[in-house]
Amino acid sequence: MTEWLRRLETAWMRRNAPRPAMRVTNGEGLKPVCVITGASEGIGRELANEFAARGHCLLLVARNEAALDTAANELARDHHVTAHVLAADLTEPDYLEKIQGVVNREGLYVDILVNNAAFGLGGPFTEQEPKRIEDLCRLNVETLTMLTRRFLPEMVERARGGVLNVASLGGILPGPYQAAYYASKAYVISLTEALAHENAGRGVRICAAAPGPVGTRFHEKMGVAGAFYLKLLLPMSPARAARIIHSGFAGRRTIIVPGLLASLNAFWARIVPHAVLTPLIGWILKQRY
Ligand SMILES: NC(=O)c1ccc[n+]([C@@H]2O[C@H](COP(=O)([O-])OP(=O)(O)OC[C@H]3O[C@@H](n4cnc5c(N)ncnc54)[C@H](OP(=O)(O)O)[C@@H]3O)[C@@H](O)[C@H]2O)c1
């Protein structure tokens, strides 16, 4: 129903939006590239596979250079695409220049931006390291926002391409004991829905994926690998999550919730009042030692 309303809105905006001033990109001899952050492992690595399988040239960004090189070689071997790599810490202030540097040097333009890199923090907020919370806000919120601000205007000008933000099912409800992480993902969903509205009918896809638990090293890195919610909510494989997310993006959905279980949980989370939901989620997320 919500998706149907969004599609109606897009059709209406398409009829009424001012025609974008088309920039001739082919004449400039630039090649389109799909930039994927956090592509060294997990969902980002699998999304790289999905885009490469459709012939997209890629720019893979993360900190682990060896893992990026391995991914680039595998993608070139399996899908015959060019995969550029950039080893960069996206919480450092120079990440935009670094990405733009590779784009310029290789004669590319950013056609698709996949904001996937993020990390979570478990446990009570008051016990988490302030520096880790700062880095979380930087990576999950600020970097995603500024990369979008940098590349979306050009996409709109070209009337093609898109932004795929990897949020989380956690973004539609408060998450006691993962408070800052859930809040960062709520920001991603809100930003995406607003930008999708602002740019409806302008030829650019703007989507957020909201997966439930996925079987990557994400939870282990947060120190919650044995958590109760992972037993309760059966993690999906990253390959399956990426397949569904890619097909939702290709189908121009605004919010993509991969899988039946996550879709049911998203439905309940949207209709149950937070006064009921928050203590329940707190009970589920609380670490039991
Ligand atoms: N796994 C889940 O259950 C789940 C559920 C819902 C949503 N999500 C979301 O899905 C996305 C991917 O998660 P995942 O499960 O694939 O996690 P993951 O396996 O931990 O992968 C995270 C990726 O982000 C990169 N990254 C982390 N910090 C970075 C930094 N400072 N600078 C540059 N890159 C950085 C990592 O690479 P390097 O370490 O090499 O930098 C890695 O490639 C995230 O947005 C996450 O919030 C995950």
Side-chain angles (χ1 to χ4, degrees), residues 92-189:
E92 294 293 330
D94 57 353
Y95 67 88
L96 262 179
E97 288 103 272
K98 283 185 171 169
I99 293 175
Q100 190 65 60
V102 179
V103 167
N104 294 347
R105 192 184 68 224
E106 302 294 339
L108 307 168
Y109 69 88
V110 178
D111 192 34
I112 296 172
L113 171 65
V114 182
N115 282 309
N116 163 77
F119 71 92
L121 285 173
F125 180 77
T126 49
E127 291 172 21
Q128 290 164 354
E129 281 289 323
K131 174 73 174 88
R132 294 290 289 155
I133 298 175
E134 191 182 341
D135 283 348
L136 182 148
C137 294
R138 223 170 245 155
L139 182 64
N140 299 11
V141 173
E142 189 185 319
T143 300
L144 174 142
T145 308
M146 296 322 292
L147 281 172
T148 305
R149 176 61 187 85
R150 172 66 192 81
F151 296 114
L152 179 59
E154 292 178 5
M155 295 174 189
V156 171
E157 228 181 302
R158 293 187 193 99
R160 60 168 283 165
V163 178
L164 171 58
N165 290 327
V166 182
S168 166
L169 196 56
I172 58 177
L173 40 100
Y177 305 105
Q178 292 191 19
Y181 174 67
Y182 271 51
S184 73
K185 294 300 181 178
Y187 173 91
V188 175
I189 291 178

Side-chain angles (χ1 to χ4, degrees), residues 28-256:
E28 292 167 2
L30 302 177
K31 285 178 281 183
V33 70
C34 168
V35 176
I36 305 180
T37 68
S40 59
E41 61 177 303
I43 299 172
R45 171 66 186 85
E46 295 298 337
L47 282 170
N49 215 30
E50 293 296 322
F51 282 99
R54 275 100 188 153
H56 290 271
C57 166
L58 303 171
L59 170 53
L60 313 176
V61 188
R63 291 165 302 180
N64 185 337
E65 192 163 16
L68 288 174
D69 285 338
T70 306
N73 290 335
E74 287 170 0
L75 292 164
R77 181 197 63 205
D78 296 345
H79 305 293
H80 312 287
V81 294
T82 308
H84 305 278
V85 303
L86 172 66
D89 185 335
L90 294 169
T91 62
E92 294 293 330
D94 57 353
Y95 67 88
L96 262 179
E97 288 103 272
K98 283 185 171 169
I99 293 175
Q100 190 65 60
V102 179
V103 167
N104 294 347
R105 192 184 68 224
E106 302 294 339
L108 307 168
Y109 69 88
V110 178
D111 192 34
I112 296 172
L113 171 65
V114 182
N115 282 309
N116 163 77
F119 71 92
L121 285 173
F125 180 77
T126 49
E127 291 172 21
Q128 290 164 354
E129 281 289 323
K131 174 73 174 88
R132 294 290 289 155
I133 298 175
E134 191 182 341
D135 283 348
L136 182 148
C137 294
R138 223 170 245 155
L139 182 64
N140 299 11
V141 173
E142 189 185 319
T143 300
L144 174 142
T145 308
M146 296 322 292
L147 281 172
T148 305
R149 176 61 187 85
R150 172 66 192 81
F151 296 114
L152 179 59
E154 292 178 5
M155 295 174 189
V156 171
E157 228 181 302
R158 293 187 193 99
R160 60 168 283 165
V163 178
L164 171 58
N165 290 327
V166 182
S168 166
L169 196 56
I172 58 177
L173 40 100
Y177 305 105
Q178 292 191 19
Y181 174 67
Y182 271 51
S184 73
K185 294 300 181 178
Y187 173 91
V188 175
I189 291 178
S190 171
L191 182 79
T192 307
E193 286 190 307
L195 294 184
H197 172 81
E198 283 181 21
N199 295 288
R202 302 174 87 183
V204 177
R205 280 173 269 175
I206 303 176
C207 308
V214 179
T216 65
R217 294 198 311 124
F218 179 87
H219 305 277
E220 180 191 322
K221 291 180 203 169
M222 283 170 74
V224 298
F228 173 57
Y229 70 90
L230 292 173
K231 297 185 180 93
L232 193 72
L233 296 171
L234 300 178
M236 174 181 275
S237 83
R240 176 145 187 263
R243 213 166 32 247
I244 299 173
I245 292 170
H246 181 277
S247 96
F249 180 67
R252 297 180 175 272
R253 294 182 73 89
T254 305
I255 302 294
I256 306 153

